[in-house]
Amino acid sequence: MQNLWSDRDAKAAIKAHAAKSIGEDLALRVYTTRLLGGEPRLVQHGGGNTSVKTKMRDISGEMVDVLCVKGSGWDMGTIEAPGLPAVRLDALRKLAKLDSLSDEAMVNAQRAALLDSNAPNPSVEALLHAFLPHKFIDHTHANAVLALSDQPDGDEICAKLFGKRVAIVPYLMPGFGLAKLAKVVFEANQQAEGLLLARHGFFTMGSTAREAYDRHIEFVGLAEARIAKGRKKVFKSVAVPKRLANPAEVAPILRGLLAQPLDKDSGAWRRVVLDRRAGPAVMDYVNAAEIWRVALAGTVTPDHVIRTKPRPLILPAPEAGKLDAFKEAAQAALDSYIADYTGYFERHNAKAQPKKKPLDPYPRVVMVRGLGLYGVAKTAKDAAIAADIAETNVVVITDAERVGRYETIPEADQFDVEYWSLEQAKLGKAADKPLTGQIVAVTGGAGAIGLATARAFRAEGAEVVLLDLPAAKPAEAAKAVGGIGIACDVTSAKSVAAAFAEIRAGLGGLDILVSNAGAAWQGKIGEVEDAVLRQSFELNFFAHQNVAKAAVAVMLEQGTGGCLLFNVSKQAVNPGPDFGPYGLPKAATLFLSRQYALDYGGAGIRANAVNADRIRSGLLTDDMVAKRSKARGLSEKDYMSGNLLGREVRAEDVAQAFVQLALAQKTTAAVLTVDGGNIAAALR
Ligand code: ZN
């Protein structure tokens, strides 16, 4: 591991913080915390913590000794000074006199000693930092150190490697007890530069930021060198079918498998998003003959359990053309996973005081032989975190097996961490939004209505995919709404197939399609060129059919229903003069919506349309608005609000109509009018 300390960067950090009246100690604390946190082999997603002991002026003007320690909710890689709240050191150290202290009382005592009552909660490991005498303390869950410690003889291996420079603290759950134990171990080994928390992580101490950091990197480097001496080839691979199913075909089956019906009658499901990893280390691992022994043992550090659960779901390799057999095997494996998890909960809850509430028994990581591993969560962001942590486990467990035999803390200790109230708090308690876990694709996604629609679905918690022509730069447009952009020509079935394969592989499937792409061709119907009419039918009818067909295929594979939404425009019911080439295919698309409602209602797939009119967009450009309002002798404002309500209709209004139809679980074959009132276009 490379030491990234730079005198120039350290000085720059001091200068930048001085400008904000922040002292050198905290400035350097921020600097090396970021160095550690930016290295995924040391720190993953909110893991690890650091501290510095310094002096600060309190409100009365008195200089007091404080511990600035990482606050919960901050990530080490991007931390700033407010992420290291100052806690009165005396108040924390006094707690060492107590025999015991509950987690809740500890958190309360730490909060009560903050200089700023608005600061985040100090880390759950703050007392460990406070009880040690050193000025700078760095703590990570370094992969290489865990690989050596997670062994039946991990303590001996580490003692031999680090000698007296590192003292070993036996495993204990984080909290008051561990802080006191670490203090006792250090006091008996005062020469120690570091503390190994067995099967949990690594601490280094120093009188300067640089010393603590240098030691951390040096020790991790020693551990890496020790691992490099181990076996090169670790796992025996099992045979997988020669012709494996395509991951794009398998993902919707997994999404369907992992979706949970909210209640039998509503048609609503709690859905998940997938994130697949299939690098060489992951493939070696998921195909390993030893997978049952290593993957079911538990996570490499207890902290990971809240993101991945103690065990992944392990599925057989799916053979091409035999997906029904895979589906059946996967269901049986999930049923037994749930039974195992429930058993694990009941076994340990019987001894727990107070009694815990069971978490949902579904897996957070799925390993499919031949295909790789999947992070599973309600959002794409959390699925990526679960996948990152699962990959870290793969790396550490493989390295542990390189050196010896992987072994982690006993199941009862894993349960204590998974059901620890302070860990549960890290996951946040925000209620799900109405469309959390749902994946939505919007065609014409980079245009005004498409973007507004994507934004509206995102606001309801959905993951959004914007499809548009390459020239419309869908990837850039998607960034603005926090979604994914895919270049796609919806008039080409081949391009649509490629885009849907990308959606399946990227997020796992699709629940809602907003078929919105369109363009207005004009001409008097008796005189218009056939070519123009056919061109309009390609985009304004056949493209809707292309995407609807592809979407329904995914929805049927998932088996959890779905929703098709079509933008049909008022032309579908109320033709405008010389707008035949636009209105005719739109009228056909209105019937397309009804046909899908009829043919797929039995599968829980709904199909609805929005009938919108006079919205500034790619179809009705600013130039067109100027021309048309002038031709009618109206101001632009009067032209745009020329409807029964006298209100201009905006892209956001159309977007809301799509969202409402997606939420209306009992509505199908409907048309929702969004035109401010146009009696000639009213449906009957
Ligand atoms: Zn830790």
Side-chain angles (χ1 to χ4, degrees):
M1 179 149 303
Q2 212 192 331
N3 187 316
L4 299 176
W5 175 277
S6 140
D7 284 334
R8 215 180 63 188
D9 291 352
K11 274 187 199 131
I14 294 170
K15 204 172 149 198
H17 283 84
K20 292 183 267 179
S21 307
I22 294 167
E24 188 173 323
D25 285 346
L26 189 49
L28 290 173
R29 182 64 287 175
V30 170
Y31 171 58
T32 58
T33 302
R34 284 184 169 211
L35 288 185
L36 295 165
E39 171 51 69
R41 288 172 296 173
L42 295 175
V43 174
Q44 288 276 331
H45 301 291
N49 43 63
T50 58
S51 69
V52 61
K53 298 181 181 77
T54 184
K55 281 184 190 297
M56 281 187 184
R57 207 172 287 284
D58 72 4
I59 191 71
S60 68
E62 198 182 318
M63 287 302 271
V64 293
D65 288 322
V66 293
L67 175 80
C68 292
V69 61
K70 199 197 91 165
S72 60
W74 283 83
D75 221 275
M76 283 174 63
T78 52
I79 204 158
E80 292 168 34
L84 290 147
V87 201
R88 288 174 192 272
L89 191 56
D90 287 353
L92 296 183
R93 284 190 165 155
K94 267 185 212 161
L95 299 175
K97 280 186 251 163
L98 298 175
D99 290 329
S100 68
L101 183 65
S102 75
D103 295 325
E104 284 69 21
M106 178 182 82
V107 169
N108 186 53
Q110 290 176 0
R111 274 212 76 75
L114 284 166
L115 285 202
D116 174 1
S117 67
N118 290 318
N121 274 344
S123 158
V124 296
E125 279 157 348
L127 288 185
L128 202 161
H129 291 261
F131 293 172
L132 294 174
H134 313 80
K135 189 170 173 74
F136 284 87
I137 300 178
D138 297 358
H139 169 47
T140 73
H141 302 150
N143 287 1
V145 176
L146 287 172
L148 298 182
S149 181
D150 284 339
Q151 303 274 344
D153 54 349
D155 289 358
E156 289 77 20
I157 294 172
C158 293
K160 201 171 154 198
L161 182 67
F162 300 129
K164 288 203 173 316
R165 295 177 67 196
V166 173
I168 298 175
V169 183
Y171 179 80
L172 205 60
M173 195 167 124
F176 181 69
L178 176 61
K180 279 193 77 163
L181 181 61
K183 180 175 187 283
V184 169
V185 170
F186 176 74
E187 281 164 2
N189 298 273
Q190 297 201 16
Q191 78 295 336
E193 299 159 39
L195 292 178
L196 169 72
L197 271 53
R199 298 178 183 188
H200 165 167
F202 196 55
F203 278 78
T204 52
M205 300 80 77
S207 52
T208 64
R210 179 161 190 182
E211 188 176 47
Y213 174 76
D214 282 350
R215 286 172 173 173
H216 215 88
I217 301 302
E218 186 197 345
F219 287 126
V220 171
L222 289 175
E224 285 175 335
R226 173 68 184 81
I227 292 164
K229 282 192 217 152
R231 292 182 287 158
K232 291 281 170 283
K233 171 101 180 112
V234 177
F235 296 121
K236 277 198 290 295
S237 294
V238 292
V240 294
K242 270 213 180 70
R243 285 188 59 247
L244 283 166
N246 190 313
E249 293 174 301
V250 173
I253 296 175
L254 295 179
R255 271 197 93 222
L257 180 74
L258 299 168
Q260 304 171 54
L262 282 177
D263 67 74
K264 284 208 167 57
D265 190 44
S266 73
W269 293 76
R270 182 191 290 167
R271 298 160 200 263
V272 293
V273 180
L274 306 180
D275 191 322
R276 172 170 171 258
R277 306 294 165 90
V282 169
M283 294 315 297
D284 272 355
Y285 188 90
V286 300
N287 292 336
E290 303 90 333
I291 193 168
W292 298 102
R293 172 172 62 81
V294 292
L296 302 189
T299 56
V300 299
T301 181
D303 202 38
H304 289 173
V305 86
I306 54 168
R307 293 291 190 174
T308 63
K309 289 201 182 273
R311 296 173 163 193
L313 169 66
I314 300 170
L315 300 180
E319 192 173 348
K322 295 189 179 166
L323 287 171
D324 282 347
F326 172 73
K327 213 168 165 175
E328 219 171 280
Q331 184 64 56
L334 177 68
D335 292 346
S336 103
Y337 181 96
I338 291 173
D340 280 353
Y341 185 84
T342 309
Y344 151 85
F345 175 78
E346 283 166 1
R347 230 172 13 256
H348 298 291
N349 192 43
K351 287 171 244 160
Q353 253 345 307
K355 296 294 171 216
K356 314 285 183 184
K357 272 196 199 136
L359 297 168
D360 94 72
Y362 278 64
R364 301 292 184 268
V365 176
V366 179
M367 295 189 169
V368 184
R369 290 203 189 265
L371 288 196
L373 71 77
Y374 295 79
V376 181
K378 288 186 285 189
T379 65
K381 186 174 162 240
D382 284 347
I385 293 176
D388 283 348
I389 290 178
E391 271 199 281
T392 296
N393 276 265
V394 163
V395 167
V396 173
I397 293 172
T398 305
D399 280 347
E401 293 278 314
R402 223 180 273 296
V403 170
R405 187 184 166 90
Y406 175 63
E407 188 183 280
T408 184
I409 55 173
E411 195 186 81
D413 289 320
Q414 294 175 40
F415 176 85
D416 286 345
V417 175
E418 189 180 4
Y419 282 88
W420 185 26
S421 57
L422 301 186
E423 283 288 358
Q424 293 293 311
K426 282 191 196 168
L427 290 176
K429 294 185 190 80
D432 288 350
K433 291 181 178 170
L435 294 174
T436 295
Q438 307 236 18
I439 302 167
V440 185
V442 183
T443 72
I449 293 176
L451 261 181
T453 301
R455 195 170 277 125
F457 274 98
R458 193 85 186 102
E460 299 297 331
E463 302 299 328
V464 296
V465 182
L466 278 60
L467 303 179
D468 214 319
L469 291 167
K473 302 202 165 117
E476 276 175 40
K479 263 186 216 149
V481 295
I484 297 171
I486 299 176
C488 176
D489 172 3
V490 286
T491 63
S492 151
K494 206 175 144 196
S495 176
V496 167
F500 273 70
E502 214 175 315
I503 297 172
R504 289 157 168 261
L507 294 165
L510 186 75
D511 306 298
I512 298 164
L513 168 72
V514 183
S515 188
N516 161 66
W521 278 272
Q522 298 183 45
K524 205 178 263 308
I525 196 65
E527 296 156 31
V528 70
E529 298 272 348
D530 276 4
V532 170
L533 197 54
R534 285 179 193 280
Q535 203 182 357
S536 180
F537 260 90
E538 283 302 331
L539 179 59
N540 292 317
F541 174 74
F542 283 107
H544 289 282
Q545 164 66 352
N546 284 341
V547 290
K549 204 172 157 186
V552 161
V554 182
M555 291 169 186
L556 291 175
E557 287 162 36
Q558 290 168 168
T560 54
C563 182
L564 306 175
L565 298 165
F566 298 89
N567 189 349
V568 297
S569 148
K570 75 113 197 175
Q571 295 293 332
V573 281
N574 171 224
D578 299 336
F579 263 100
Y582 180 54
L584 288 162
K586 283 289 192 180
T589 298
L590 173 59
F591 269 74
L592 181 74
S593 168
R594 293 176 173 177
Q595 196 67 46
Y596 271 102
L598 177 63
D599 287 349
Y600 294 97
I605 298 170
R606 298 176 293 118
N608 293 300
V610 167
N611 170 23
D613 189 25
R614 207 170 290 181
I615 292 130
R616 282 183 200 265
S617 68
L619 292 180
L620 178 60
T621 61
D622 290 347
D623 275 1
M624 288 159 76
V625 171
K627 240 185 258 169
R628 287 184 198 178
S629 49
K630 203 172 154 201
R632 291 174 206 199
L634 294 170
S635 70
E636 283 192 20
K637 188 172 176 292
D638 285 345
Y639 170 70
M640 288 306 291
S641 57
N643 53 43
L644 299 179
L645 294 171
R647 293 179 192 145
E648 180 175 345
V649 184
R650 299 176 194 279
E652 290 73 18
D653 301 313
V654 182
Q656 278 312 316
F658 282 128
V659 167
Q660 293 312 318
L661 285 171
L663 289 170
Q665 292 292 344
K666 308 280 169 82
T667 298
T668 192
V671 182
L672 185 51
T673 299
V674 190
D675 57 8
N678 174 348
I679 207 69
L683 287 149
R684 54 176 176 162

